[in-house]
Amino acid sequence: MNEGRVSRGAEKALGIIGIVFNLIVIISTILLISNSGSFQNSPQFQQIEEEIRNNPSFSNPQDAQAAIDAFAASFGAVGWTLVALLAISTLFAILALLNLRKDKNAKLAGAFFIIAGLFAGILSLTSILFYIAAIMCFVRRAKHRRDDDMRYRDNDRGGRSDDYSRRTDNTETRTDEALHKKEDTPYRPL
């Protein structure tokens, strides 16, 4: 194991899965938008048009036709907006993955994952994957060597030497083994 480095494989995997989900939604939305002309000629859309025209809230046929036209136009506009937002999300996720190459840039990668999650939809499956990857980037730290932890722990407890051989007080000299037996606090790694 590399000392001082954290494996960022989980964050990378979550980022790649999120990017794949974004690309699937982008492609399916583009296909839906491009096939919307055939949808408007389908029997289902004709039935929706008939229901709108028969709706008593529309007093004249021009209002009903305006509502139908607005529905058809908004379908394309909403679809292209969704494609643009997901493309921006994918771009930020790729930037996050590129910053995960170096362990020092994990916090920047986490910020990019959060931005990617916001553009992917605040509570979509893709955004949740990006948020989890961001949290992992912020929380996971490099582990220290056990010897270093013992040295820091022992220095905090009263100044044992780094080689753990002996400790001298004004009254007595004890070996390191005796110190471990008499301690009432169990060893807890930092």
Side-chain angles (χ1 to χ4, degrees):
M1 184 175 130
N2 293 338
E3 294 177 20
R5 290 194 48 90
V6 176
S7 173
R8 299 288 179 183
E11 292 92 329
K12 290 176 184 176
L14 289 171
I16 290 170
I17 292 170
I19 289 171
V20 169
F21 283 166
N22 272 353
L23 293 176
I24 290 171
V25 173
I26 287 171
I27 292 169
S28 63
T29 305
I30 290 173
L31 289 175
L32 247 149
I33 293 169
S34 65
N35 292 331
S36 68
S38 63
F39 174 70
Q40 290 176 356
N41 296 329
S42 69
Q44 292 88 4
F45 190 76
Q46 299 298 330
Q47 184 180 7
I48 293 170
E49 280 184 357
E50 191 62 35
E51 288 177 14
I52 292 174
R53 286 191 180 116
N54 293 333
N55 192 344
S57 63
F58 295 112
S59 60
N60 57 20
Q62 290 84 11
D63 291 339
Q65 188 60 39
I68 293 169
D69 292 339
F71 174 73
S74 67
F75 182 73
V78 169
W80 286 116
T81 303
L82 179 66
V83 168
L85 289 175
L86 290 177
I88 293 170
S89 172
T90 304
L91 177 70
F92 275 110
I94 290 170
L95 288 173
L97 288 177
L98 291 176
N99 278 308
L100 280 178
R101 285 184 172 176
K102 297 180 182 176
D103 200 32
K104 294 178 183 178
N105 292 336
K107 289 185 180 185
L108 181 62
F112 282 147
F113 275 132
I114 288 175
I115 295 170
L118 291 174
F119 278 108
I122 295 178
L123 287 176
S124 67
L125 175 65
T126 306
S127 66
I128 291 171
L129 292 174
F130 289 149
Y131 296 150
I132 292 170
I135 290 169
M136 290 173 75
C137 285
F138 290 132
V139 172
R140 294 176 65 195
R141 302 269 187 255
K143 293 182 180 180
H144 297 288
R145 289 180 25 213
R146 188 178 190 291
D147 294 339
D148 292 340
D149 288 343
M150 285 295 293
R151 184 181 70 231
Y152 294 132
R153 178 178 163 251
D154 292 338
N155 284 338
D156 290 341
R157 286 214 178 143
R160 272 192 251 164
S161 65
D162 287 342
D163 61 353
Y164 309 114
S165 61
R166 297 204 176 252
R167 177 180 174 202
T168 54
D169 290 334
N170 292 338
T171 58
E172 64 183 65
T173 302
R174 293 183 272 176
T175 64
D176 198 32
E177 183 178 311
L179 282 173
H180 285 293
K181 287 182 181 178
K182 295 198 181 223
E183 287 181 358
D184 58 342
T185 305
Y187 170 74
R188 282 180 235 126
L190 298 173

